[in-house]
Amino acid sequence: MKYLPLTLLLSMLAFFSACEKEEPQADKNFTLTFKTTYDGVPLEKYKNFAYDARNIQVNKFNTFLSDLILVKQDGSEQRLSDIEWVDFMPDLASNDKAVEVKFQYTVPAGDYKALKIGYGVRPDLNAKKPTDFAPEHPLYRENEYWSGWQSYIFTKVQGLYDLDGAGDPESTLTYHCGSDAVYQTSSMSANIPVTATSGSLTVEFDVKKLFATNGGLLDLNDPLNRNTSHNASNIDLGIKVMNNFANATSVK
């Protein structure tokens, strides 16, 4: 048995060559990162940012995102998550700078061409209550649910506006957007290569663009534009803000 038959030797070489080329599928090989800015500058609590001729502060920004889906080159889809909650300014943060929020998923290797996003809580999930979910679920949050509206608060943006023009923002801004009518979806084109062991995409929200209207910015000197209504039949301002989400989103 000094020599192996040629056919057996070739089979063994082919087997070991194939083993060397294959990459084992890693668990959670894809990272999705969310960041936020104001007019391209990293967002920070209690920091003054220019808003036309006045100043503005953004001290809270969080949002639900539904149906996070990667789209392959052939149009087929890979679902990442039904729902996530992104809190850029958590109360227990180590400093005032907005944090990056990362999620990890297991994704088949391949070339993907887009990311689909639902801004808010999609209607079938919004029909439920926090008590319908386990404590570790994103929708278990009682503080993000409006019992009077029978809806989650899809997005919260809170801060201050320099109403008197003295330089320091002092007038409250509160945008709590909810109800099925304000839910929006979008698809963001991007080149997203994913291998068996790694892949990533960064999604950035520019808060200033949430205030866009008619080629300019919401007039915050108008009290009706500074705070969303608690009346479930008055969601006009919430619709304006949520309609701007797609234009406020960029992917890298």
Side-chain angles (χ1 to χ4, degrees):
M1 300 298 290
K2 186 176 292 187
Y3 301 102
L4 291 172
L6 181 59
T7 54
L8 179 58
L9 179 60
L10 292 175
S11 297
M12 291 175 65
L13 289 173
F15 172 77
F16 287 119
S17 177
C19 290
E20 289 176 0
K21 291 180 181 179
E22 287 183 2
E23 284 186 282
Q25 175 69 49
D27 184 42
K28 296 187 177 180
N29 59 323
F30 183 78
T31 301
L32 184 61
T33 302
F34 291 95
K35 299 170 61 176
T36 185
T37 62
Y38 182 93
D39 202 17
V41 177
L43 196 60
E44 188 174 341
K45 286 183 181 179
Y46 315 120
K47 179 178 178 178
N48 290 353
F49 292 94
Y51 191 95
D52 284 339
R54 303 288 177 91
N55 287 328
I56 191 175
Q57 290 182 8
V58 178
N59 302 325
K60 181 182 287 292
F61 178 29
N62 57 54
T63 188
F64 284 103
L65 300 171
S66 296
D67 289 343
L68 295 170
I69 296 170
L70 289 179
V71 182
K72 287 187 175 181
Q73 294 294 336
D74 63 5
S76 60
E77 297 182 347
Q78 175 64 38
R79 180 175 294 273
L80 302 178
S81 177
D82 286 337
I83 188 80
E84 299 288 6
W85 190 65
V86 179
D87 187 2
F88 291 111
M89 295 180 157
D91 293 336
L92 298 179
S94 59
N95 56 49
D96 294 333
K97 295 180 180 179
V99 301
E100 294 184 2
V101 182
K102 297 179 181 288
F103 299 98
Q104 291 187 305
Y105 307 101
T106 301
V107 174
D111 290 326
Y112 297 83
K113 65 178 181 180
L115 173 71
K116 288 186 175 182
I117 301 178
Y119 298 103
V121 183
R122 73 181 194 219
D124 64 312
L125 294 175
N126 196 40
K128 298 183 178 182
K129 300 176 181 179
T131 52
D132 293 326
F133 300 96
E136 65 274 11
H137 196 280
L139 292 176
Y140 184 73
R141 291 173 170 80
E142 290 280 357
N143 289 339
E144 308 305 322
Y145 186 77
W146 243 331
S147 58
W149 286 39
Q150 296 293 292
S151 170
Y152 282 89
I153 303 172
F154 294 178
T155 295
K156 283 183 179 178
V157 178
Q158 296 176 197
L160 298 170
Y161 174 66
D162 178 22
L163 184 62
D164 62 11
D168 290 323
E170 82 296 330
S171 185
T172 301
L173 299 175
T174 307
Y175 301 92
H176 290 182
C177 309
S179 80
D180 291 347
V182 308
Y183 182 69
Q184 300 290 328
T185 62
S186 183
S187 180
M188 302 289 162
S189 297
N191 179 29
I192 315 167
V194 179
T195 70
T197 57
S198 67
S200 64
L201 185 68
T202 297
V203 180
E204 186 172 288
F205 300 131
D206 192 325
V207 177
K208 185 177 183 180
K209 293 182 179 179
L210 294 180
F211 298 99
T213 182
N214 299 323
L217 293 170
L218 282 173
D219 179 8
L220 298 185
N221 294 308
D222 182 346
L224 296 178
N225 287 333
R226 291 200 298 271
N227 298 281
T228 48
S229 172
H230 287 154
N231 185 336
S233 64
N234 183 3
I235 58 172
D236 290 349
L237 185 54
I239 289 175
K240 287 180 182 178
V241 172
M242 296 299 289
N243 280 354
N244 286 328
F245 240 119
N247 288 333
T249 306
S250 60
V251 294
K252 301 175 182 178

